[in-house]
Each structure stands twice: as structure tokens, then as C-alpha cells.
Amino acid sequence: MPAYPPEPFRIKMVEPLRRTTRDERERLLAEAGYNVFRLRSEDVYIDLLTDSGTGAMSDSQWAGIMRGDESYAGARSFYRLEAAIRDIFGFQHFVPTHQGRAAEHILCSLLVKPGVRIPNNGHFDTTGANIRAAGGHPVDLGIEEAKDPANRHPFKGNMDLEKLARFIEETGPERIPFGMMTVTNNTAGGQPVSMANIKGAAAIYHRYGIPFFIDACRYAENAYFIKMREEGYADKAPIEIAREMFSLADGCTMSAKKDALVNIGGFLCVNDDDLFERIKQMLILREGFPTYGGLAGRDLEAIAIGLYEGLDEEYLAYRVAQTTYLGEGLLAAGVPIVEPPGGHAVYVDAGRFLPHIPRDQFPGQALVIEMYRVGGVRAVELGSVAFAYPDPQSGEMVYPPLELVRLAIPRRMYTRSHLDYVIETMAEIAAHRDAVKGVRITRQPKLLRHFTAEFAIVG
Ligand code: P61
């Protein structure tokens, strides 16, 4: 088993968890239309649905909540956050937003016109959906190694730089209003991107005059991986690595619900003065006045503190070790995962784990249902339910490379014994996996269907 460093904190407040019986869970699943997003959280024992906004805040952050300045304009908490963002991210301008997708929405509504294409190493679903909603096409250009779950490439989240250059030549830079890079690459398994790769992508974008935006939500975990895995960074602090990453870009979108260790919040940064003026107008229309942008003053305060806590090296070492512990534990229990384990989550390769279930019966969703049924553990499908879509021309289904189920670890929340329980649950499923049945969709919306779709068990 890999090393599991003791938690660099102690517990000051507890939240009771309720165990349910298997019969209860069977009934709750049926009532939820076999979609675990529709379960009540109090019916979930270990909730690995997401690491987004689910972590525990520190005593300093809670103290910050009390100090929050709720003035409509010019709040002290805004200036505190501005100082933190300038120190770490270094961009000229920023606006707070209520979460990451609001930053994406503002950026896309200003820059994406029908027919444009936006490259990325891997768009997350909200980013892709915001680009599509504005009439553009998101394009993923991750490296080939990311398609092989057993490949232990140290920077499996990287962009394929040759593909990027070719893509720009073929598309024409005039049809690419901006380019992106997501750190860490969530869709590829929470895998990091190397500094060399970010530098390479920035150079290509800038050669063609294309503004470069980083989707920054797990930037601190990415910085830690660079420190551990990339030559020349071992002696640098994560904050220095982060500063270098952002110095290469023209702006970023950020969901503070991840590496800023808060329950809600986000921001959008840019260097361009004109674009910033337009962003402010759109922000006022959609989110709020530029010094609070859809958040309370206390939220801004908690983000300002959380940004630094999220970059703390001891915290990051513990954080990444937790994910590694869960990932290696699952492998030892005979559960195939995307290797190596990512920063915020372990991604189970449900296609390989349940090979008897065809893709159109959603092996990932089948596994998510079984995890809840057996152990009261909630995970999220990130396979064909989340990502498959009919080709606009031929109408044929376009499937994502892998059928994945993500076990995301909320920050500073679960202990090692919770993770052991998850490993035991998965080992139990492994013992009867041939009996797990596929599902079909009985109801679905047009966009982001995995949130609300309903399912029925096949056979
Ligand atoms: C997550 F099932 N992620 O991973 P917002 N970029 C990236 C993200 O990972 C991300 C956002 C932008 C979530 C929450 C989530 O279908 C889902 O603050 C790389 O959530 O708006 C969010 O940030 C958006 C889970 C989002 C989902 C959409 O769990």
C-alpha cells in the first residue's frame, strides 16, 4: 500500500453520517429513476459524487466568513480577494462569479460566435456546453497516451501540441477567438499538465495571435504534480509554480469550489483592458456589481484565505496521497482504473470492469448504481451518459474514448477508514461483477443530461 501521510489538521466539528439498509437503498434508487444525482445526500454514506464545493473549510476561513464585508460596492473583502488573486495569478483584471460556469458563460457569450471552434486539452462538460450554447464547437486535443488507461504517463493531461498546430492551420486562426488548457485535465482522469506543455501551447496560440485562457480550477494540484514530476521544479514552492503557469496565459476561468477550498464561488481573470470592460457590463447584467459578482462578501473572504491554504505544500502532499491510496487500493482489489490516479479523483474504467455491458447500455451508469446499492457510496458517471452525443450531420452517436466512473475525494473531509470502506465496497462488487446489469435511458434533457436523466435496468 502507498504511504498515507497523517492529516495535516485535526477535526474541530463533525457531521453525523447515516447508514441505510440495502432494502432501503434499493427503494431509494428506484424512486430516483436510477440517477444518483436525484438521491438525497442524507441517504448517501460516502459521497464521492464530486470534489466541487464539498470540502471542509478551515477555522481561518470560518473566521473570515464572520469578517466578510457585505457592502454592495467596494467591499473590503473584494480588495482582500483582489490582492490574493494578483499575488497568485498575476492577471491585470478579475471579476468574481458565483461559480466556474458563470465565468465560462461570460467569456463565451462575449467571444464565441456561431461556427467558431475552441481547442482545449480536454473541455469539461460545462465549458463544452457553454461553447455549444453560444454556437461554437469545443474541440479536445489531448495526447494519445490519455486514451490508454494503463499508460502511466506522468503528464497524461497534456495537450497534443502537434495536433494543436495542425488544428489551427486547418481551422484558420480567425475562427478561433481563444484557446484553452484545463489544469488538471478532469475529463482525462484528473491528470496533470506539465509546465513544458503549457509553455508549448501558449507559444503556439500566441504565434497565431490567439488569446490563451487556462481553466484553472485544480491549478494547485497541477502545480504540486509539476513539483513532484517535472525536472527543475523540485525545489520550487507550489505558489511559485502557479505564478509561472499563469504568467504564460492571457486570462483564466476559475471554479473556486475546488482548489480555493470553498463551498461556492469562482472568478474570471483577463489582461485585456477592452475585454475587461465588456466583461464588467455582462457581469452587472448576469451576476452582480463587479466588486461582488454573484457572491456574498463573506464568500470572497473565504476564497482569499482558501487560495493560500490550497497551495500549502503539506496539504497538497496529503491530498494527492489520499487519491493515490484509493487508486492503488482499487487496483489491488481487481478494479481497473485510469492509471496513475489523478489529483482529485480516481476514475474507474467501467468499460473494462463490466465488459459484458455494451456501451449503449451504459456500463458506467450501471456501476454507479451498483456502488450505491452495495455500499451507499455515490460516484458519478463520466462516460457515455455524460459525454456521448449524436453527430450533428450523420445523427450517429459519437462516444467518448472511455466509459469512466469517477470517485472524487472532497477536500479535507474523509479519513483513511472511509477510503478503506470504499475499497471494500468495490471489492465486493468485483466478486459478483458478471451479474451487474446495464441500463437504458427513459427520460433525458437536451444539454448536460447526466444531471437529470432517468434510467431503467435492462433485462
Ligand atoms: C466536477 F457532474 N467540475 O468535476 P463549476 N472546469 C472544470 C470543472 O471540473 C468544473 C468546471 C469547470 C465539477 C462540478 C460538476 O456535469 C457536472 O463551479 C475542469 O461547477 O461551475 C466543474 O465549475 C465548472 C460536476 C460540473 C458535474 C458539471 O465535479
Side-chain angles (χ1 to χ4, degrees):
M1 273 304 193
Y4 190 101
E7 280 77 4
F9 51 81
R10 57 185 177 180
I11 296 167
K12 194 175 232 171
M13 192 191 286
V14 297
E15 185 179 1
L17 291 175
R18 190 172 79 88
R19 304 290 297 264
T20 46
T21 64
R22 190 170 167 131
D23 284 348
E24 242 179 297
R25 292 194 293 273
E26 200 64 70
R27 174 176 59 75
L28 292 164
L29 273 173
E31 282 171 12
Y34 295 96
N35 185 339
V36 294
F37 278 100
R38 297 159 61 99
L39 292 170
R40 286 175 185 243
S41 72
E42 62 188 11
D43 296 329
V44 175
Y45 182 49
I46 305 289
D47 204 346
L48 306 182
L49 188 76
T50 179
D51 63 318
S52 180
T54 50
M57 291 210 296
S58 66
D59 53 353
S60 306
Q61 285 178 296
W62 283 109
I65 291 274
M66 295 307 293
R67 283 197 306 268
D69 176 354
E70 305 303 340
S71 305
Y72 193 96
R76 188 177 60 237
S77 303
F78 170 80
Y79 293 107
R80 177 135 198 228
L81 177 58
E82 184 184 51
I85 291 179
R86 185 147 296 153
D87 180 30
I88 299 165
F89 295 79
F91 295 111
Q92 292 297 315
H93 310 289
F94 97 100
V95 289
T97 59
H98 77 273
Q99 59 185 80
R101 72 196 71 180
E104 294 161 7
H105 175 230
I106 290 172
L107 189 67
C108 291
S109 63
L110 292 173
L111 297 183
V112 173
K113 303 279 173 283
V116 307
R117 312 186 85 190
I118 311 292
N120 199 331
N121 53 339
H123 288 280
F124 195 59
D125 61 0
T126 56
T127 326
N130 267 301
I131 293 166
R132 283 201 188 91
H137 301 286
V139 179
D140 290 342
L141 299 172
I143 55 172
E144 285 303 309
E145 287 90 333
K147 291 184 185 153
D148 172 8
N151 188 321
R152 286 202 168 228
H153 190 294
F155 291 104
K156 224 175 163 177
N158 277 354
M159 174 97 94
D160 186 327
L161 297 179
E162 271 172 38
K163 268 196 231 162
L164 176 64
R166 212 175 321 126
F167 169 82
I168 297 174
E169 284 291 336
E170 283 167 14
T171 308
E174 67 288 350
R175 284 180 60 209
I176 307 173
F178 63 93
M180 294 191 78
M181 189 97 158
T182 303
V183 301
T184 57
N185 186 340
N186 195 355
T187 30
Q191 300 290 334
V193 177
S194 70
M195 187 71 82
N197 195 252
I198 302 174
K199 275 189 191 149
I204 295 172
Y205 284 136
H206 290 152
R207 192 186 314 148
Y208 292 95
I210 299 170
F212 169 34
F213 281 81
I214 294 180
D215 177 339
C217 56
R218 298 182 181 87
Y219 78 101
E221 290 165 9
N222 201 93
Y224 187 72
F225 279 119
I226 288 176
K227 181 181 170 74
M228 300 314 286
R229 296 181 184 172
E230 191 163 352
E231 220 185 300
Y233 289 93
D235 297 329
K236 293 219 159 93
I239 192 168
E240 294 174 277
I241 299 173
R243 285 183 188 129
E244 185 178 343
M245 277 162 48
F246 295 114
S247 74
L248 299 164
D250 303 294
C252 74
T253 57
M254 172 78 182
S255 169
K257 300 171 74 171
K258 285 84 169 173
D259 279 353
L261 296 168
V262 292
N263 303 118
I264 194 70
F267 50 87
L268 172 59
C269 297
V270 286
N271 282 334
D272 186 289
D273 298 338
D274 290 340
L275 180 59
F276 179 57
E277 284 309 313
R278 294 162 65 206
I279 287 172
K280 273 195 294 189
Q281 297 314 313
M282 188 60 83
L283 188 87
I284 291 170
L285 188 66
R286 303 277 178 202
E287 291 277 296
F289 189 72
T291 61
Y292 71 87
L295 293 170
R298 62 183 85 101
D299 297 324
L300 306 178
E301 198 81 27
I303 297 172
I305 299 165
L307 281 170
Y308 288 104
E309 292 183 0
L311 283 165
D312 179 84
E313 204 167 315
E314 228 179 298
Y315 154 75
L316 283 167
Y318 141 80
R319 166 85 181 142
V320 168
Q322 242 195 346
T323 318
T324 307
Y325 180 83
L326 177 61
E328 302 296 346
L330 292 181
L331 277 176
V335 180
I337 64 163
V338 174
E339 297 176 56
H344 67 295
V346 176
Y347 291 64
V348 174
D349 185 352
R352 207 145 45 101
F353 190 49
L354 305 174
H356 59 287
I357 301 180
R359 298 194 89 173
D360 59 3
Q361 290 181 19
F362 306 109
Q365 188 62 23
L367 179 58
V368 165
I369 294 166
E370 194 65 9
M371 286 172 67
Y372 182 71
R373 180 183 281 130
V374 170
V377 176
R378 179 155 70 169
V380 71
E381 197 262 12
L382 288 178
S384 288
V385 177
F387 296 119
Y389 62 94
D391 183 83
Q393 261 105 53
S394 68
E396 263 182 49
M397 284 311 273
V398 183
Y399 287 101
L402 298 168
E403 295 294 340
L404 300 178
V405 166
R406 186 184 71 177
L407 281 58
I409 307 183
R411 293 172 180 78
R412 306 189 291 206
M413 197 161 82
Y414 291 121
T415 62
R416 178 171 167 174
S417 47
H418 289 125
L419 300 183
D420 285 335
Y421 173 86
V422 174
I423 295 167
E424 283 157 26
T425 300
M426 294 299 279
E428 195 179 327
I429 297 172
H432 68 253
R433 60 178 160 178
D434 297 346
V436 177
K437 294 190 172 119
V439 297
R440 65 186 163 80
I441 296 180
T442 55
R443 265 172 75 156
Q444 61 176 312
K446 270 203 177 126
L447 278 177
L448 297 172
R449 67 178 175 182
H450 61 294
F451 284 125
T452 53
E454 291 178 38
F455 303 88
I457 308 289
V458 175

